[in-house]
Amino acid sequence: MAETKPALVLHLVSGGEPLVFPLHADAVDEVTSQVNLYLDHGSVQSIRDADDRTVHVNFAHVAAAYVDDLQRSGKVFGMR
């Protein structure tokens, strides 16, 4: 099985290219299960990235967010 590289992908309300933050292995499950709540509440969340840094995201400025695999080939937006 190929190695996965999960990342948090953020599409901002203001538009432009999405922001991509590779996630720390310990943060993947929590972020995946909670991202819908972050968006619903527009809260500010602290998320650990793959380099063990903390990223503070204000979800009030995020239009769409999801966890994606950076290793996956043949990407089509919104499809797995």
Side-chain angles (χ1 to χ4, degrees), residues 1 13 18 22 26 29 32 39-40 51 56 59 62 68 78-80:
M1 180 180 240
V13 172
D26 295 340
D29 290 337
T32 301
L39 287 168
D40 284 346
D51 295 327
H56 303 281
F59 281 89
V62 177
D68 196 6
M79 304 295 289
R80 285 197 171 253

Side-chain angles (χ1 to χ4, degrees), residues 10-39:
L10 305 174
H11 293 268
L12 300 180
V13 172
S14 60
E17 291 294 317
L19 303 175
V20 179
F21 298 97
L23 292 172
H24 192 279
D26 295 340
V28 174
D29 290 337
E30 179 183 352
V31 172
T32 301
S33 66
Q34 298 293 318
V35 71
N36 62 327
L37 295 175
Y38 301 160
L39 287 168

